[in-house]
Amino acid sequence: MRPYLALLLAASLVGCARQPNPPSQTAPSEQSSAGAPNAPKVAAATVDLATAAKTQEGADTGTGTDSSEAALERIVALPAAGQLPPGPWVAGTNYQVLSPAQPTDVAAGKVEVIEMFWYACPHCFALDPTIETWRKNKPAYVDFRRVPVMWNEEHRAHAHLFYTLKALGKLDELHTKVFEEIQQKGDVLYSPGDEKATLQSQLQFARANGIAEAAFSSAYNSFGVQTSLQQADDLARRDKIDSVPTFIIDGKYVTDAALAGSPAKLIQLIDDLAESEKHH
């Protein structure tokens, strides 16, 4: 395997973790993934069956001070409908179960799949071609949407661009180009502490891709985009999303490529979880 392909595969199996302080302003290719967790950080909102099944021996398992009996009670309390039938996927190992399940925003008969992501995350960039291929061939009953995280000012700037392009009907055309602009060209489309400079850099990107400045500015400042930003922030807070890329299936399950085992297995896991929800 060529070295760069091996690096790309490795990058797609980990994620960018939320940091307590804004990340340093280095080029995306220079950002380190050291310390980035392999599993989505949703401990406060999920039932981790693998951890709950272990007897505590004085170690901190991330479940507070629960006794093993209390942990097992949580497993017993989890309805069978909250787990896949016996097979290759194990709750608490390959996916987490959100408890309680969260409401979704899809039509009857549809199953919602959300990808939480960030344009400056190299792991999101590495996984995106796989997700794009799946998106174009996914089952018709799957309602897929991307939701950008907004952990700090830089994340919000990229989310603002995402929703502006969506409002203009240009997202499908330019989604990959935004990734490439940041990840390959080193143009982060963001100026720390300077909203006007950030807007100018994004306007320049828009003009270079055939969007009139007036149209971009109008969408950028629109009530609809502001509402979308707030809703995205509320979703990430609600589901305690602390790493990306992370996938939420029908408001009930959370997983990523590391939990699934590979990008290909992630797609199969998402399809299996979605199919199980279709029949419920």
Side-chain angles (χ1 to χ4, degrees), residues 89-279:
W89 312 120
V90 179
T93 298
N94 302 118
Y95 63 95
Q96 307 289 341
V97 181
L98 281 170
S99 181
Q102 300 299 315
T104 60
D105 188 23
V106 294
K110 295 285 188 177
V111 176
E112 181 183 75
V113 175
I114 294 174
E115 178 194 12
M116 304 297 299
F117 83 106
W118 174 35
Y119 276 127
C121 168
H123 316 295
C124 297
F125 178 53
L127 185 62
D128 198 63
T130 298
I131 299 305
E132 273 293 279
T133 298
W134 170 79
R135 182 180 70 87
K136 295 172 183 177
N137 298 280
K138 64 178 177 57
Y141 62 81
V142 171
D143 191 325
F144 173 70
R145 63 188 174 106
R146 294 182 172 94
V147 176
V149 293
M150 291 190 293
W151 298 326
N152 60 37
E153 185 182 274
E154 184 176 8
H155 297 111
R156 184 177 180 83
H158 292 152
H160 207 152
L161 174 61
F162 173 87
Y163 284 117
T164 299
L165 294 177
K166 185 174 182 180
L168 291 167
K170 294 289 188 177
L171 189 58
D172 284 351
E173 176 186 343
L174 298 180
H175 171 73
T176 299
K177 289 188 176 182
V178 176
F179 261 131
E180 292 171 349
E181 186 76 14
I182 295 172
Q183 301 285 342
Q184 295 180 332
K185 298 181 181 179
D187 178 4
V188 296
L189 300 172
Y190 165 72
S191 295
D194 192 335
E195 292 184 9
K196 289 184 178 180
T198 293
L199 175 56
Q200 287 305 311
S201 67
Q202 295 186 5
L203 276 170
Q204 182 176 347
F205 171 81
R207 287 193 298 267
N209 286 280
I211 300 175
E213 181 174 331
F216 185 89
S217 296
S218 178
Y220 187 90
N221 294 308
S222 68
F223 176 77
V225 167
Q226 294 301 321
T227 299
S228 294
L229 287 168
Q230 185 59 57
Q231 291 173 341
D233 194 27
D234 290 345
L235 178 66
R237 291 175 184 274
R238 182 195 75 181
D239 292 346
K240 306 295 190 296
I241 302 301
D242 280 341
S243 69
V244 289
T246 293
F247 295 82
I248 307 167
I249 297 87
D250 217 35
K252 294 183 180 180
Y253 310 109
V254 181
T255 191
D256 63 16
L259 289 176
S262 71
K265 289 181 179 179
L266 172 65
I267 296 303
Q268 186 60 59
L269 174 55
I270 290 173
D271 282 342
D272 288 350
L273 288 169
E275 184 177 9
S276 75
E277 285 302 294
K278 178 188 176 185
H279 297 301

